[in-house]
Amino acid sequence: MNDPAAVADRAAALRARLEDANYRYHVLDDPDIADSEYDRLMRELEALEAAHPELVTPDSPTRHVGAAPSREFAPVRHPIPMLSLANAFSAAEVEDFERKVEERLGLRDPLFSVEPKFDGLAISLRYEDGHFVQGATRGDGERGEDVTANLRTIKAIPLRLRGRGWPRVLEVRGEVYMPRAGFEAWNERARASGGTLKPLANPRNGAAGSLRQLDPRVTAQRPLAFFAYALGEVAGGALPRSHSAMLRQLREWGLPVCPLVATAHGAGGCLDYYARIGAQRDGLPFDIDGVVYKVDDLAAQDRLGFVGRTPRWAIAHKFPAQEQQTRVEAIDVQIGRTGAATPTARLAPVQVGGVTVTNATLHNADQVTRLDVRVGDTVIVRRAGDVIPEVVRVVPELRPAHTHAWRMPSHCPICGSAIVREEGEAVARCSGELVCAAQRTQSVFHFATRRAMDIDGLGERYIEDLGEFGYVRAVSDLYKLSLDDLLDMKRRADARDGTTPETVKAGKVATKWAENLIEAIDRSRRTTLARFLYALGISQVGEATAKALANWFGQLALIRHLPWPLFKLVPDVGSEVARAIGAFFAQRGNQQVIDELLARGVDLGDLHAPSPKLRGGLDLPSVLACLEVPRLTAVRAQVLAAACPQLHDLLEADQHRLVAAGLPVEVADAWLAWRAEPAHRQLLRDAVAAAARLQQALPDVAAAASLPLDGRTVVLTGTLATLTRDEAKARLEALGAKVAGSVSKKTDFVVAGEAAGSKLDKARELGVAIWDEARLLAFLGADGTAPSRDHDDDQT
Ligand code: IVH
């Protein structure tokens, strides 16, 4: 494309398409283009702009990138001050607010705009002639800080307004926040980084800290988003006459407005909204700390005016605090299933967000040191969503005299084995393994949970008893329990507790319980590879990683003998996780437990060939590169592989030969030093052999069209009669499908069960294919095996 006009046209077309995609994603929440397509268009535009710098516009979608760092933030005077809201904490206070509004306006049951109160950072965005020119923090309300460069990196903030009719000057106010998913993902990355990245305390601090970065390139890495909820200065144009219409207008101009915003009549309507949003709170994708009620009529807002620094026309109705103050009565150590020793604060009971909290996690010894939490301290505890309550900080003013800094005990409180902390590890562990009743109980408990092997009715107390009386030492022992064993155990436990069952009825109850449990254990034998891997309780392997391992390798036989570097072939599995998985399978005891599980009838119903996507990672240079040999980069690994195409050469070649082949002397020396370790030589042999085994197990290229539902997006809705939601999801995923939560144009088909609701309507509206349960079952194959390719063609 050399014609300058054609190039300019193409750049303009790409910009329009990308802006539209951003709008659909961030504002309408209804993306119409695949991520990969978006990336491709973005790269094309970047390339065009790089080749033709004269075509770059300041608000091109490529400009959501971090600019160079600055030394400080310039002050910005807000033309209209950024005020705050008065708070209500009870229904009575809301009714009081409504009554005053009614009296002042002389009308009944006013209409309110009702909105979530977002827990982020208030900012003001200034648009002139539709272009984003400046963004500022709230500061003291009169003057804030210029954080324009940071705000430009947030993709949800349009650099240019859409449509037409915007005023010449338009200041949009709203909240920058960090979505929970982004926050979790960030912290997972931070934990895996081994200290390079710092974990964030909560999404709010995450948002605030990110905006206060002097280097916008740092901000650009953070997952931030934005919701508009108010206006500042407006000049040279007209706006709608109500707040709710104004928000709709902002949405049309391309600004994200929270979809939970609504209107309500009177205090009654407001309180209903409060209850409705409160019920959804834990499941929302972002943090909120209440709701806000605003008189909807803007002229009425003007008449009501302000008292001091808060408007009379709005009030924030706060949810019960998720942070509370209480006293630490003791600091215990809890032993988890992998032996991890977690310091836990025992607290004077306190209500946090409507739940009584008596324990809070302190995560690990470093955290206790960092916070300097001591027995007797008064602390702030936080409970957010359904996560375990945690200690946020100590209130130093309230520390009593004569306290002592806490230290991790040297021995396990349960089994007495030494507690050890490996070099560079954050967690200390009990070294007792199977000797340790706590580890045994926790690992069996985890094994039995619903999302693992799903053994109904096996509570923690029974597991403890089964361990205590010697029936279950390892998870595989569950599958050799007999009815008599269970009844025996029950009798012994009753005798120990002095609760001898005297009546015939109690005996019957016990028999029923034992029969049910045996049946549940039996049912759990039929499972999937992903569930099985998750159930093993490998440290660092959660459900998502277990699924990824199952999808990529397909077979337990391959996975259980893989040397650790090859686990890194799975996207998102880093060095640390890969080593943890390798270490688990390297233990003889664990291999033995797996053998026993299989011998006792555990049946992985969904084994398949490894993913053809592995192919690229199995050649010799890739295998060498993943061994983490010092100085051996990917490029040098290629040189090394070319010099030493056979394992024998790799093990024997001397410095002269390596250097002659083009390796820098220090790299050759690093290789020789690494190779000198017997453990490394073994790892090299194992990795090369395992790569060859994997290569052989790959499906041949013709079949590599792979899984029947590869690349398909499916949505489940309603209740299925024969499968739980999780089972249906797992079966579809095993066939390569992506199971999504909401219906869009990208959805390939919707499986609708009994009482399907809005998702079914949406599917009909968009003309997405709809399957009933019978069709799904036919597709999955009555015997649970993958369907033939004809079925596949049938559903496109
Ligand atoms: S309106 C004049 N709406 O709450 C009032 N504020 O205490 C302008 N906030 O600084 C604010 N969600 O950071 C408004 N839906 C919402 C809000 C909201 C969160 C925050 C904002 C403001 C503080 C006021």
Side-chain angles (χ1 to χ4, degrees), residues 83-85 115-122 138 175 229-230 292 294 306 311 313:
L83 302 173
S84 54
L85 296 168
E115 314 171 358
K117 186 169 190 300
F118 311 107
D119 207 2
L121 197 76
R138 176 169 181 276
E175 202 89 348
Y229 53 62
V292 182
K294 300 171 182 173
F306 295 83
W313 43 264

Side-chain angles (χ1 to χ4, degrees), residues 482-503:
S482 67
L483 199 63
D484 283 343
D485 288 339
L486 288 181
L487 291 173
D488 225 38
M489 176 213 91
K490 188 88 172 74
R491 268 193 294 278
R492 291 164 72 176
D494 284 340
R496 175 199 59 198
D497 303 340
T499 52
T500 329
E502 283 159 35
T503 60

Side-chain angles (χ1 to χ4, degrees), residues 446-496:
H446 169 79
F447 184 83
T449 48
R450 198 169 62 77
R451 309 188 76 98
M453 298 298 276
D454 192 15
I455 304 178
D456 206 20
L458 190 59
E460 204 160 332
R461 224 192 65 224
Y462 290 129
I463 299 175
E464 277 170 10
D465 292 345
L466 285 168
E468 181 178 333
F469 298 116
Y471 293 101
V472 174
R473 297 229 113 78
V475 292
S476 49
D477 295 338
L478 289 171
Y479 293 101
K480 60 170 204 199
L481 285 173
S482 67
L483 199 63
D484 283 343
D485 288 339
L486 288 181
L487 291 173
D488 225 38
M489 176 213 91
K490 188 88 172 74
R491 268 193 294 278
R492 291 164 72 176
D494 284 340
R496 175 199 59 198

Side-chain angles (χ1 to χ4, degrees), residues 172-185:
V172 179
R173 285 167 181 185
E175 202 89 348
V176 166
Y177 66 95
M178 185 175 280
R180 283 181 181 157
F183 167 76
E184 300 294 346

Side-chain angles (χ1 to χ4, degrees), residues 521-533:
I521 292 174
D522 190 39
R523 241 183 293 127
S524 76
R525 284 193 167 92
R526 258 184 83 97
T527 188
T528 62
L529 178 56
R531 277 178 176 265
F532 182 81
L533 289 172

